[in-house]
Amino acid sequence: MNKPLILVVEDDPPVRNLITTTLKTNDYRYLVAANGETAILEASSHNPDIVLLDLGLPDMDGVQVIQNIRSWSNLPIIVISARSEDGDKIEALDAGADDYLTKPFSVEELLARLRVTQRRLSIMTAEMLMASSIFINGKLRVDYAGGCAYLDGQELHLTPIEYKLLCLLSKNVGKVLTHTFITQNIWGRSWDNDIASLRVFMATLRKKLEPDSDSPQYIQTHIGVGYRMMKVE
């Protein structure tokens, strides 16, 4: 079985060479792009399995690349950037990135994150095949096979992370899911900054899901523990 096809988006030749040499040594297939325009073209033309994306590109910000790809695909995007501020990380994750690796990085960590992403892809694919194709809870309907969700008949416009959270909660309706459990399932790990990002995503998901924010019907917060999707009649 072939290793995943990786699209490497990096304009700095030494960093790009480090990444591609690492991939080649570990039998990964890869494509390269030195700017955002080429990255979008390669992603749409070759349908890679994973994108490794630098944010500081010469022609556009990497966040714009994420937003463009997210308009038509849910393929995993791992950001590799020198930007280390929490605000930059949250902006990239909120735009639709699946992971964030800060430069300088070790090749061992890069390979580990690729393995985590591959495992998550395999698990999600298996779960989608096994799960019932439709989940209904009150006025909420999640079409797992179609990858979309509806509230009172209107499609919810969710980011990839928001949709993953909704699926995770809906498949465990009535159960309290801890912060650690959720972040492990969404990002493949549980670090302090992941929990901070989780709070941001849960807040945006709630705005789209709860008609009355003062009286939430679907998602209940268990302070200091996690979240639960409640059964709605």
Side-chain angles (χ1 to χ4, degrees):
M1 182 178 179
N2 287 332
K3 286 282 188 81
L5 176 63
I6 314 293
L7 173 58
V8 179
V9 187
E10 173 62 66
D11 66 315
D12 184 359
V15 177
R16 187 170 65 238
N17 290 340
L18 171 64
I19 294 173
T20 56
T21 300
T22 300
L23 295 176
K24 185 176 181 179
T25 302
N26 289 272
D27 299 321
Y28 283 97
R29 299 174 297 140
Y30 63 86
L31 303 164
V32 295
N35 58 54
E37 183 179 357
T38 304
I40 293 167
L41 179 61
E42 292 287 345
S44 59
S45 302
H46 296 282
N47 192 27
D49 298 293
I50 301 171
V51 176
L52 299 179
L53 174 68
D54 181 26
L55 295 182
L57 300 172
D59 57 339
M60 67 177 73
D61 193 276
V63 172
Q64 294 174 273
V65 177
I66 297 171
Q67 291 169 337
N68 183 289
I69 292 175
R70 283 292 169 260
S71 69
W72 51 269
S73 175
N74 283 329
L75 69 91
I77 299 173
I78 301 175
V79 169
I80 302 178
S81 175
R83 301 177 192 174
S84 58
E85 296 296 322
D86 285 349
D88 293 317
K89 295 178 183 178
I90 291 174
E91 182 185 15
L93 292 168
D94 200 25
D98 295 272
D99 200 354
Y100 198 107
L101 181 61
T102 304
K103 296 176 183 177
F105 60 91
S106 69
V107 294
E108 290 80 8
E109 184 176 7
L110 172 60
L111 291 169
R113 293 190 186 225
L114 284 172
R115 289 194 296 270
V116 166
T117 301
Q118 286 177 251
R119 287 197 299 270
R120 192 162 64 243
L121 279 172
S122 298
I123 291 169
M124 287 181 64
T125 300
E127 285 180 346
M128 284 185 67
L129 292 173
M130 293 175 63
S132 170
S133 61
I134 301 291
F135 169 82
I136 297 176
N137 188 20
K139 295 182 179 180
L140 173 66
R141 181 165 64 93
V142 182
D143 181 350
Y144 298 131
C148 49
Y150 302 84
L151 186 66
D152 202 15
Q154 299 295 313
E155 184 173 357
L156 293 169
H157 297 287
L158 305 175
T159 67
I161 296 292
E162 289 168 351
Y163 180 72
K164 289 177 185 177
L165 284 171
L166 181 60
C167 288
L168 186 63
L169 288 164
S170 65
K171 290 176 181 178
N172 293 276
V173 65
K175 298 178 183 177
V176 177
L177 305 183
T178 65
H179 296 134
T180 300
F181 179 85
I182 296 173
T183 53
Q184 285 280 7
N185 276 270
I186 299 300
W187 289 292
R189 58 174 196 267
S190 185
W191 297 338
D192 287 344
N193 61 342
D194 294 325
I195 294 174
S197 299
L198 173 61
R199 292 193 183 100
V200 173
F201 286 118
M202 290 300 297
T204 58
L205 175 59
R206 271 186 157 138
K207 286 180 182 178
K208 298 174 182 180
L209 196 59
E210 304 286 4
D212 183 358
S213 59
D214 295 326
S215 302
Q217 285 184 293
Y218 292 99
I219 300 175
Q220 184 179 67
T221 299
H222 291 258
I223 297 173
V225 179
Y227 301 92
R228 173 176 67 151
M229 174 168 283
M230 297 176 285
K231 182 65 179 174
V232 178
E233 297 300 324

